[in-house]
Amino acid sequence: MDEPDTTIPPPSRRNPGSRIDQRFPRGASPAAKAAPHPRVGLNEFLSHPIRLSLVAALASVEEADFASLRDFLQISDSALSRRASQLEEAKLVTIRKGYVGKRPRTWLSLTPAGREAWTSHLAAIKAIAKGLPPSV
């Protein structure tokens, strides 16, 4: 004799109006099961809190100077330099160096790929926060 499937409690032991029943109805279409989870839209370079904060700050401006970013993010020069270099290697950020008077300055800006990565990453976070894709 086959053993009964105990992974999902029978209806008599569940509340049929429960939230889980509403979110994951029995017999959901195969297409709904095959849809990729929104986490696939997350960008691995933006998983680090400082890199995420840096890209978010740059997303709202055309470019920002190093000192302003450092102060806004409340991190050290070395932490900002390291994270900015990582994002530059990933081609998400452009670092421009120049002078204001005789003083050296550094400016950072998002590349077009960086803006796209930010938009996709943010959309994925919003989709994950919703809990389910609209089709379910």
Side-chain angles (χ1 to χ4, degrees):
M1 219 193 268
D2 290 334
E3 300 249 343
D5 182 10
T6 59
T7 57
I8 299 176
S12 61
R13 291 183 27 208
R14 293 186 297 158
N15 178 359
S18 73
R19 185 172 170 97
I20 194 75
D21 283 337
Q22 293 168 4
R23 293 181 63 184
F24 301 103
R26 289 182 182 234
S29 70
K33 292 178 185 175
H37 189 274
R39 76 177 170 274
V40 300
L42 294 173
N43 185 302
E44 71 178 77
F45 286 98
L46 302 181
S47 63
H48 189 278
I50 294 175
R51 289 191 301 246
L52 175 70
S53 299
L54 175 56
V55 170
L58 290 173
S60 63
V61 297
E62 194 160 322
E63 80 176 358
D65 69 278
F66 187 92
S68 296
L69 285 166
R70 179 200 60 217
D71 294 345
F72 176 73
L73 298 174
Q74 300 174 351
I75 57 175
S76 67
D77 286 355
S78 62
L80 178 53
S81 180
R82 184 177 322 138
R83 300 311 181 253
S85 293
Q86 291 168 344
L87 290 167
E88 184 181 40
E89 287 175 20
K91 307 229 185 295
L92 300 178
V93 168
T94 299
I95 300 174
R96 180 175 67 88
K97 297 191 179 267
Y99 288 87
V100 174
K102 293 184 178 186
R103 295 185 155 209
R105 293 286 186 255
T106 301
W107 294 273
L108 291 85
S109 61
L110 287 180
T111 63
R115 289 198 183 277
E116 177 59 35
W118 169 248
T119 302
S120 298
H121 190 78
L122 193 56
I125 290 172
K126 288 178 181 178
I128 291 167
K130 286 182 182 177
L132 288 177
S135 61
V136 175

